[in-house]
C-alpha cells in the first residue's frame, strides 16, 4: 500500500537524511516543503516539491488538498537563531505548527482516518537553574525540569502540548469528536550528521568541531570544555522518527518521548577529534549566552519510556558513532 508523507524543512539537516531514507521506499510518495528550493539531487528524490513558508496560510490550503498520511514537521528556527529573532521564531515554530496541525485535522476528517503527525521536539524544553542543578539532575525524565529559558524551548514545549490537545481534546465541548489526528513527539538531543552541518543551533559546536577537523581546520569551541549535553548520530535520529511513526498507537503510553544515545562533554568530543586528526587544535572561547543556554539543558536524558514502549535503541554509542559513522563518512566527504 502506498502512503503520502509531507516533510517540512526538507532542506534542513534532518530533512536531507529523512528524504534519503524514505526515497528508498518505492511505495512512499514524498511532498517536500522548504523556504528555499531543494537542491537538484534532493529534488530528484521527492514527488512534489514546494517552496513556501510554513506559517503562510496559502501553503496550508495548498497542502490540505493532498491525501497526506504522515507529516514530519521538521521546519523550525533552532535555539540560537530563535534568540536572535524571537518574534519570527514564534511565528515559524508556533503559528506554523498550529496551521499544519489544523490542516492535518482537516485532511484526517476528509479522508476518514487519522493523519500521523511527527513532531521533533528537543532537549531545549529542559531548563536547569544552575550547573550544580544540572549535575544533580543527571538523566532527566520527560516530565521533569520543563522550564525552558529559550524561545525555541518555549515554542517546542508549547507545541508538544498543542499537538496533544489538537489530537485528543480539540473542541472538547463540541459533540462530534472524530479520530482525525495522531500526534507523536520526540525530544531530540543534539544531532550530528556526517553529511551536513547545522545552522542556528546551540549544540552546533560538536558537528562544527568534527567537520572543521576533517578539513584540517582548528576549532574554537563556543562552550567550555566541561559542557555536557546528550548527542546522537543522525541515522539514529531518522530511525527514531520512523520507528515512532510506525509504532502501534496502543503501545504508546505517552505523546512525547525522550531519546538518547551518548552524552559527552565538549572535551570528550575534542579528544576523539584530535585523536583522529592530531594536527588540528581545539581551543575554548565560550560565548557567555550560548554557554548559558547549554548550561540550562540537561546533561543527559532518561529514555526508558521510548525503550519500553516502542523498543527504542540507538544503533550508535559514542565509540561507534565516531569510529564507524562520523570519522569514515566525513573523511570521505572532504576527500580524505
Ligand atoms: N540542536 C538544537 C539546537 O541546538 C537543540 O535541539 O537548537
Amino acid at each position: 500500500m502506498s502512503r503520502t508523507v509531507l516533510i517540512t524543512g526538507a532542506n534542513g539537516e534532518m530533512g536531507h537524511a529523512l528524504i534519503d531514507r524514505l526515497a528508498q521506499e518505492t511505495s512512499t510518495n514524498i511532498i517536500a516543503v522548504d523556504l528555499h528550493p531543494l537542491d537538484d539531487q534532493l529534488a530528484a528524490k521527492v514527488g512534489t516539491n514546494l517552496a513556501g513558508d510554513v506559517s503562510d496560510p496559502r501553503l496550508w490550503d495548498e497542502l490540505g488538498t493532498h491525501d497526506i498520511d504522515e507529516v514530519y514537521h521538521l521546519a523550525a528556527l533552532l535555539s540560537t537563531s530563535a534568540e536572535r529573532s524571537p518574534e519570527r521564531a514564534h511565528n515559524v515554530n508556533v503559528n506554523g505548527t498550529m496551521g499544519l496541525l489544523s490542516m492535518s485535522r482537516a485532511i484526517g476528517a476528509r479522508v476518514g482516518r487519522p493523519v500521523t503527525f511527527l513532531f521533533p521536539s528537543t532537549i531545549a524544553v529542559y531548563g536547569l537553574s544552575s550547573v550544580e542543578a544540572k549535575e544533580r539532575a543527571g538523566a532527566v525524565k520527560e516530565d521533569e525540569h520543563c522550564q525552558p529559558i529559550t524561545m525555541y524551548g518555549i515554542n517546542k514545549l508549547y507545541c508538544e502540548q498543542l499537538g496533544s490537545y489538537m489530537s485528543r481534546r480539540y473542541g472538547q465541548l463540541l459533540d462530534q469528536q472524530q479520530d482525525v489526528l495522531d500526534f507523536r513527539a520526540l525530544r531530540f538531543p543534539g544531532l550530528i550528521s556526517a553529511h551536513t552541518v547545522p545552522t542556528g543551533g546551540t549544540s552546533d559546536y560538536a558537528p562544527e568541531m568534527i567537520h572543521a577537523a576533517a578539513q584540517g581546520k582548528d576549532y574554537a569551541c563556543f562552550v567550555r570544555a566541561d559542557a555536557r549535553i546528550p548527542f546522537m548520530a543522525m541515522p539514529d535520529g531518522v530511525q527514531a522518527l520512523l520507528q515512532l511513526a510506525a509504532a502501534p498507537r496502543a503501545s504508546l503510553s505517552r505523546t512525547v518521548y525522550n531519546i538518547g544515545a551518548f552524552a559527552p562533554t565538549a572535551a570528550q568530543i575534542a579528544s576523539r577529534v584530535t585523536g583522529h586528526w592530531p594536527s588540528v587544535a581545539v581551543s575554548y572561547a565560550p560565548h557567555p549566552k550560548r554557554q548559558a543556554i547549554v548550561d540550562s539543558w540537561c546533561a543527559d536524558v532518561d529514555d526508558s519510556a521510548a525503550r519500553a514502549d516502542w523498543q527504542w535503541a540507538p544503533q550508535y554509542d559514542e565509540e561507534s558513532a565516531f569510529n564507524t559513522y562520523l570519522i569514515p563518512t566525513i573523511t570521505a566527504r572532504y576527500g580524505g
Side-chain angles (χ1 to χ4, degrees), residues 66-90:
H66 296 265
D67 293 352
I68 294 167
D69 299 290
E70 284 173 17
V71 177
Y72 294 85
H73 176 33
L74 311 179
L77 260 72
L78 295 184
S79 55
T80 291
S81 299
E83 289 316 299
R84 295 194 170 120
S85 319
E87 282 87 3
R88 179 157 176 260
H90 186 276

Side-chain angles (χ1 to χ4, degrees), residues 133-259:
K134 170 172 171 152
E135 277 165 13
R136 255 197 326 273
V140 302
K141 287 191 186 297
E142 284 89 348
D143 299 326
E144 297 172 339
H145 305 289
C146 290
Q147 280 104 21
I149 68 160
T150 61
M151 189 61 166
Y152 176 64
I154 291 167
N155 293 163
K156 288 286 184 176
L157 186 60
Y158 171 63
C159 285
E160 289 177 358
Q161 294 171 12
L162 188 60
S164 185
Y165 169 81
M166 294 291 280
S167 194
R168 296 191 196 158
R169 280 183 290 278
Y170 176 82
Q172 54 195 314
L173 298 186
L174 303 174
D175 288 333
Q176 353 59 312
Q177 286 297 315
Q178 276 177 293
D179 190 10
V180 293
L181 180 67
D182 181 353
F183 177 86
R184 304 169 178 203
L186 278 175
R187 287 191 188 150
F188 283 105
L191 291 165
I192 313 177
S193 169
H195 300 283
T196 50
V197 187
T199 45
T202 317
S203 58
D204 295 7
Y205 58 90
E208 282 176 6
M209 191 187 298
I210 304 165
H211 282 262
Q215 299 170 79
K217 296 180 191 159
D218 294 344
Y219 184 71
C221 182
F222 61 76
V223 294
R224 291 186 315 269
D226 67 349
R228 182 157 95 99
I229 55 169
F231 282 99
M232 180 177 289
M234 184 60 87
D236 275 332
V238 169
Q239 176 62 25
L241 269 178
L242 296 175
Q243 221 175 306
L244 179 58
R249 190 149 54 146
S251 66
L252 304 181
S253 62
R254 317 180 47 86
T255 310
V256 179
Y257 287 91
N258 278 342
I259 47 166

Side-chain angles (χ1 to χ4, degrees), residues 7 9-24 42 45 74 191 193-196 233-239 241-242 325:
I7 302 175
N11 241 345
E13 281 207 286
M14 182 156 254
H16 271 85
L18 182 62
I19 289 172
D20 280 344
R21 182 73 187 269
L22 287 176
Q24 293 166 18
L42 201 59
K45 296 178 180 165
L74 311 179
L191 291 165
S193 169
H195 300 283
T196 50
M234 184 60 87
D236 275 332
V238 169
Q239 176 62 25
L241 269 178
L242 296 175
Y325 169 62

